[in-house]
Amino acid sequence: MDQNVNFPDPTDRPSMEASRNSVLRIRDRERKLIFKIQEALQRLDNGEYGICEQCGEEIGIERLKARPVTTLCISCKSSQEIEERKTKRVV
Ligand SMILES: [Zn+2]
């Protein structure tokens, strides 16, 4: 049995840190996605699923297919993204 198999070369540490960080990032993204899915299921229960949070219009079926957890129609989403970009530029 090769004991070294479970103990990677210490010089490999930076890349281990990097992959650890990316695992944490992925986990964080998954947590947020799970939360969004739970919200979407709740909206399904309330009969609010597929309705834009902002303008109350129906979100297009194509958009729901592409992003089932979205709460904004395409036009509200794009204006939100424009606003976000503006804020980031100020900061
Ligand atoms: Zn909208």
Side-chain angles (χ1 to χ4, degrees):
M1 271 257 271
D2 188 359
Q3 288 291 326
N4 287 326
V5 170
N6 292 320
F7 299 98
D9 187 340
T11 58
D12 199 31
R13 202 173 168 81
S15 74
M16 275 182 68
E17 286 284 304
S19 67
R20 207 179 98 87
N21 282 340
S22 68
V23 166
L24 289 178
R25 256 203 309 277
I26 290 165
R27 280 204 191 138
D28 192 49
R29 212 182 304 152
E30 280 177 349
R31 245 200 313 270
K32 283 177 186 157
L33 185 63
I34 288 167
F35 184 69
K36 282 183 175 178
I37 290 168
Q38 284 170 338
E39 278 187 334
L41 290 174
Q42 214 155 49
R43 286 197 303 277
L44 265 177
D45 280 346
N46 298 339
E48 292 164 2
Y49 183 73
I51 306 293
C52 175
E53 260 184 354
Q54 214 145 78
C55 67
E57 294 288 321
E58 273 184 38
I59 301 167
I61 191 74
E62 289 306 317
R63 173 151 170 74
L64 286 174
K65 273 189 209 163
R67 271 193 71 82
V69 297
T70 190
T71 58
L72 295 173
C73 71
I74 192 75
S75 61
C76 291
K77 182 65 192 171
S78 32
S79 52
Q80 185 197 54
E81 273 168 6
I82 292 165
E83 287 304 311
E84 271 172 14
R85 243 169 275 155
K86 274 188 209 159
T87 356
K88 268 176 204 156
R89 220 174 290 153
V90 174
V91 175

